[in-house]
């Protein structure tokens, strides 16, 4: 199996990075579409259009305010294709970025992502998630290539509520452990290849950075004033985490996001918060002989991450729902990236231990 490493062509981060948008957009053409939700468009749409216009790029908005379903993807693609364009700019949270990826994928054109929150590592990845009409995860699709450019304005990110930053911590903290399990099991990464050592080292660095700076960085979330610790944590949560999971691979912590929504009260929890609990379950199943599980529990307490299913919103340890969650999890591709083959009973018992 070939080793494959991938990522965005250009990553820009810092307070004021958004001012580079027009320059970047002009590299690819004179006509672009902006994919964003109505809130982000209302707050930033005018600024984004002005930045692009300053470099001779016309920006046409496509508004997305719901889950990305196959029907919505077709509508967005038809709206985009109504007029010629050379570039997609996706701004906002994970759903808006995913919608932008779907449009760029169909048009086979360049994509620039502009995250407004650091709740996950979607900005750098080629993956986008589709849901069914009942808001259940339907499929994970893949662009042929990663976004061409990622513009992370930390002054914008720092205005988002701390809850979203906390979710980003939960999503990113798992990557070292998932990449290690995927590598050990001979699993395939998101490029259908084996992990490089580079990806493993990036995932290691992501963990080290978050343990060192996550607590201090969280204090800056919502203030609009990025600090050095905030800058380092955002880089870990978006760039290191994104490269680590796509080129390193995933395992049980992310596979559990397929099953956990079957447990009453959990479905509405943010993705990163579900991953945080999923990581504790994974480390439990690893039967580690070090103190990492205890160490992470202490860190979770400092940054306010959920450490149990009850913390995610579950109220009753319903064995049938737990069994269904375990069964769905084991059907996920990433569940096979583990040191041993897990049984439904083994995984369900682990979930009950973390209720």
């Amino acid at each position: 199996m070939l080793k494959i490493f991938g990522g965005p062509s250009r990553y820009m981060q810092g307070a004021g990075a958004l001012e580079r948008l027009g320059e970047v957009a002009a590299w690819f053409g004179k006509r672009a579409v902006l994919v964003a939700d109505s809130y982000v468009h209302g707050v930033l749409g005018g600024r984004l259009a002005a930045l692009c216009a300053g470099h001779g790029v016309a920006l046409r908005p496509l508004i997305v305010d719901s889950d990305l379903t196959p029907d919505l993807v077709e509508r967005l693609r038809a709206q985009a294709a109504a007029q010629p364009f050379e570039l997609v700019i996706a701004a906002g949270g994970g759903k808006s970025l995913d919608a932008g990826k779907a449009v760029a994928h169909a048009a086979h054109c360049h994509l620039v992502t502009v995250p407004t929150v650091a709740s996950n590592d979607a900005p750098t990845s080629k993956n986008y998630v589709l849901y069914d009409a009942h808001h259940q995860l339907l499929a994970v699709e893949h662009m042929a290539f990663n976004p061409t450019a990622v513009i992370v304005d930390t002054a914008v990110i720092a205005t988002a509520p701390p809850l979203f930053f906390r979710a980003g911590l939960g999503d990113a903290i798992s990557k070292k452990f998932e990449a290690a399990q995927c590598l050990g099991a001979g699993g395939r990464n998101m490029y259908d290849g084996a992990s490089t050592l580079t990806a493993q080292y990036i995932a290691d660095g992501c963990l080290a950075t978050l343990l060192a700076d996550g607590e201090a960085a969280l204090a800056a979330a919502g203030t609009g004033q990025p600090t050095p610790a905030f800058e380092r944590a955002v880089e870990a949560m978006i760039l290191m985490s994104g490269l680590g999971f796509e080129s390193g691979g995933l395992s049980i912590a992310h596979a559990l996001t397929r099953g956990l929504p079957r447990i009453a009260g959990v479905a509405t929890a943010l993705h990163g918060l579900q991953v945080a609990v999923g990581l504790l379950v994974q480390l439990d199943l690893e039967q580690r002989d070090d103190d990492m599980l205890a160490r992470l529990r202490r860190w979770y307490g400092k940054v306010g991450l959920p450490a149990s299913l009850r913390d995610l919103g579950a109220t009753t340890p319903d064995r049938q729902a737990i069994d269904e969650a375990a069964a769905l999890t084991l059907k996920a591709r990433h569940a096979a990236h583990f040191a041993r083959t897990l049984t439904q009973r083994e995984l369900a018992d682990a979930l009950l231990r973390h209720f």
Side-chain angles (χ1 to χ4, degrees):
M1 181 165 48
L2 286 175
K3 294 181 179 180
I4 305 177
F5 183 92
S9 297
R10 191 69 55 89
Y11 179 88
M12 303 177 180
Q13 177 186 314
L18 199 54
E19 297 302 314
R20 300 288 297 274
L21 177 64
E23 173 192 345
V24 171
W27 293 343
F28 308 114
K30 296 298 183 182
R31 295 167 296 190
V33 294
L34 170 66
V35 179
D37 62 39
S38 56
Y39 174 79
V40 169
H41 185 258
V43 173
L44 286 178
R47 181 182 175 190
L48 301 180
L51 288 168
C52 288
H55 288 266
V57 179
L59 192 60
R60 177 163 53 95
L62 296 179
I63 305 302
V64 179
D65 278 324
S66 62
D67 284 342
L68 193 63
T69 63
D71 286 345
L72 177 57
V73 168
E74 290 308 311
R75 290 200 299 273
L76 288 172
R77 289 171 174 172
Q79 291 170 22
Q83 300 177 36
F85 65 98
E86 295 89 21
L87 168 70
V88 174
I89 298 171
K95 289 184 180 179
S96 294
L97 300 190
D98 278 7
K101 292 175 187 180
V103 174
H105 189 191
H108 200 64
C109 70
H110 292 284
L111 170 68
V112 176
T113 60
V114 182
T116 58
V117 294
S119 60
N120 56 60
D121 47 27
T124 67
S125 85
K126 62 183 177 62
N127 303 353
Y128 58 97
V129 179
L130 296 180
Y131 295 86
D132 64 21
H134 304 289
H135 310 290
Q136 298 294 317
L137 190 150
L138 182 64
V140 178
E141 299 290 341
H142 301 263
M143 298 191 298
F145 295 95
N146 291 69
T148 304
V150 181
I151 300 177
V152 181
D153 192 323
T154 45
V156 173
I157 299 289
T159 66
L163 173 63
F164 294 108
F165 194 85
R166 192 172 285 115
L169 291 173
D171 185 42
I173 198 69
S174 75
K175 300 305 166 51
K176 180 264 192 299
F177 306 100
E178 294 194 81
Q181 281 293 326
C182 186
L183 177 66
R188 295 177 181 270
N189 61 21
M190 293 297 173
Y191 302 98
D192 202 30
S195 173
T196 59
L197 290 176
T198 300
Q200 298 294 316
Y201 290 142
I202 289 173
D204 290 350
C206 180
L207 173 69
T209 302
L210 295 182
L211 291 180
D213 293 311
E215 184 179 3
L218 182 62
T223 68
Q225 301 295 322
T227 62
F230 188 86
E231 291 282 354
R232 292 190 293 270
V234 167
E235 183 179 341
M237 292 157 63
I238 295 180
L239 183 58
M240 294 184 197
S241 179
L243 297 177
F245 100 80
E246 272 200 302
S247 292
L250 293 173
S251 183
I252 300 300
H254 267 76
L256 276 164
T257 62
R258 287 289 185 99
L260 289 181
R262 286 301 178 95
I263 301 171
V266 173
T268 57
L270 292 173
H271 169 82
L273 302 183
Q274 293 185 35
V275 172
V277 174
L279 174 59
L280 299 183
V281 174
Q282 176 180 318
L283 294 180
D284 180 350
L285 291 165
E286 287 182 12
Q287 301 172 349
R288 303 174 69 94
D289 57 5
D290 59 18
D291 66 344
M292 184 54 73
L293 183 54
R295 184 182 178 191
L296 282 179
R297 283 186 176 278
R298 291 193 296 271
W299 185 77
Y300 277 27
K302 293 177 181 178
V303 298
L305 282 174
S308 68
L309 292 172
R310 197 175 298 277
D311 290 345
L312 281 180
T315 56
T316 304
D318 182 338
R319 181 71 200 210
Q320 181 177 347
I322 294 287
D323 285 340
E324 290 178 2
L328 276 175
T329 296
L330 293 177
K331 290 180 180 178
R333 169 193 172 190
H334 312 307
H337 301 161
F338 198 64
R340 65 185 185 280
T341 301
L342 295 171
T343 66
Q344 180 178 323
R345 175 66 179 271
E346 188 177 12
L347 181 53
D349 287 348
L351 286 169
L352 286 171
R353 287 196 296 272
H354 289 81
F355 206 92

